[in-house]
Amino acid sequence: MSGWTTDKMPPMEGKTVVVTGANSGLGYEGTKAFADAGATVVMACRSEERGEAAATDIRRSVRDGHLEVRVCDLADLDSVEAFAEGLRAETAGIDVLCNNAGVMAIPRQETADGFEMQLGVNHLGHFALTGHLLPELRASEGESRVVTQSSQAHTSGEMDFSDLQSEREYGKWSAYGRSKLANLLFAYELQRRLDDHGASVVSVACHPGYADTELQFRGPREMGSSVRMGLMKVANGLFGQSAERGALPMLYAAASDEVVGGEYVGPGGFMRMRGAPEFQQSNDASRDEADAERLWTVSEELTGVEYEFG
């Protein structure tokens, strides 16, 4: 896949793609590329206003494709379910689901359902969304894909099931690492379960390296720290690649014919922070099948969502 870019994406006319967090950063760039390849893209956004503004901007530059903006707040399971129900009522099948949206290194907060925000949005919201949409993914003609966005920060994560919501002790970066490790445990366990049922759906994980996006600034902004904002701007300028480049692993995982289930795709350049996408290995903790099964069971209990594999 050396030098892979969006110029090498296959045509996606007739395909339906769902992208969470589609109004900014990696989600925006991914949406733009999918639409440019001819796909119908459902932009799952927390804010309808910001989603519509992003869609208007994308429409000015894409050749083909169709954009639909729908509200989906991953920090509220009722919103996730309502989004899925609305989509099911109007969509015959889904070809790609990109679990992309996320929050990073923020002061401790809780979702509408009482989950620690980073675990709740980054993992549990996407776990629920994928479960709700699995029948539509299975109904798609040919192979469909679930692409889950993780991070190299998964290497700092630890699945402490005795304090999964970080109620006893909270560190904004350790909680972020846990949520990104959970993304990988989920992606790999989903593939194992899909294999067990012979489903024509595959699960792939990816990470963007270090991409210069708005994601890095939410934490400092909510802390009211101008110093941290300034340091983040400097770090992004020195180490970050563009959001357009950071979206390439997700796009490759979603569209390339060379991808099979259970892969992990990320940039292959300096320290895996930038560069063209390549297949990579995540850490041993992310491949712990006992933790993956336990996380799946806990996620079902917390979200109330059970998967219909058929």
Side-chain angles (χ1 to χ4, degrees), residues 19-35:
V19 182
T20 65
N23 59 279
S24 66
L26 305 176
Y28 174 93
E29 296 297 341
T31 296
K32 188 175 179 180
F34 286 128

Side-chain angles (χ1 to χ4, degrees), residues 19-251:
V19 182
T20 65
N23 59 279
S24 66
L26 305 176
Y28 174 93
E29 296 297 341
T31 296
K32 188 175 179 180
F34 286 128
D36 200 40
T40 292
V41 186
V42 180
M43 301 173 67
C45 304
R46 183 165 60 94
S47 165
E48 185 174 11
E49 181 180 1
R50 290 194 293 271
E52 291 291 358
T56 298
D57 190 54
I58 291 171
R59 290 186 184 109
R60 295 191 184 105
S61 59
V62 300
R63 295 191 304 267
D64 298 300
H66 176 69
L67 303 179
E68 297 179 15
V69 177
R70 293 174 182 257
V71 174
C72 181
D73 184 353
L74 292 162
D76 184 342
L77 293 180
D78 286 342
S79 176
V80 172
E81 184 175 10
F83 168 85
E85 288 180 351
L87 197 56
R88 279 200 301 266
E90 301 178 23
T91 305
I94 296 171
D95 300 282
V96 181
L97 168 61
C98 289
N99 290 326
N100 164 76
V103 292
M104 182 177 78
I106 58 174
R108 194 183 189 285
Q109 303 169 38
E110 292 187 353
T111 69
D113 304 281
F115 308 140
E116 185 277 310
M117 185 67 73
Q118 297 191 79
L119 185 73
V121 170
N122 298 354
H123 167 62
L124 291 170
H126 283 124
F127 178 91
L129 178 63
T130 306
H132 285 310
L133 294 181
L134 185 58
E136 280 60 53
L137 287 157
R138 290 174 46 223
S140 173
E141 292 186 12
E143 179 186 276
S144 58
R145 295 185 188 180
V146 177
V147 179
T148 300
Q149 188 83 264
S150 184
S151 165
Q152 285 299 84
H154 79 272
T155 58
S156 67
E158 180 182 351
M159 298 311 299
D160 181 0
F161 289 98
S162 68
D163 189 26
L164 196 61
Q165 307 295 341
S166 303
E167 295 172 302
R168 291 200 306 269
E169 182 177 357
Y170 180 77
K172 61 183 181 181
W173 285 107
S174 60
Y176 179 66
R178 175 178 295 171
S179 73
K180 294 290 101 179
L181 176 57
N183 286 153
L184 291 176
L185 289 168
F186 162 67
Y188 299 148
E189 180 65 15
L190 176 58
Q191 183 59 53
R192 285 189 286 269
R193 294 179 183 234
L194 290 166
D195 285 341
D196 288 344
H197 290 84
S200 60
V201 184
V202 299
S203 173
V204 187
C206 64
H207 76 93
Y210 192 149
D212 181 6
T213 70
E214 185 64 21
L215 180 69
Q216 289 93 339
F217 296 103
R218 178 170 172 178
R221 185 178 296 114
E222 293 189 3
M223 293 174 64
S225 175
S226 58
V227 173
R228 291 178 184 272
M229 287 284 287
L231 290 173
M232 193 60 73
K233 288 180 181 178
V234 172
N236 279 18
L238 289 175
F239 304 111
Q241 62 179 346
S242 68
E244 183 178 9
R245 296 284 295 175
L248 290 179
M250 178 176 69
L251 292 167

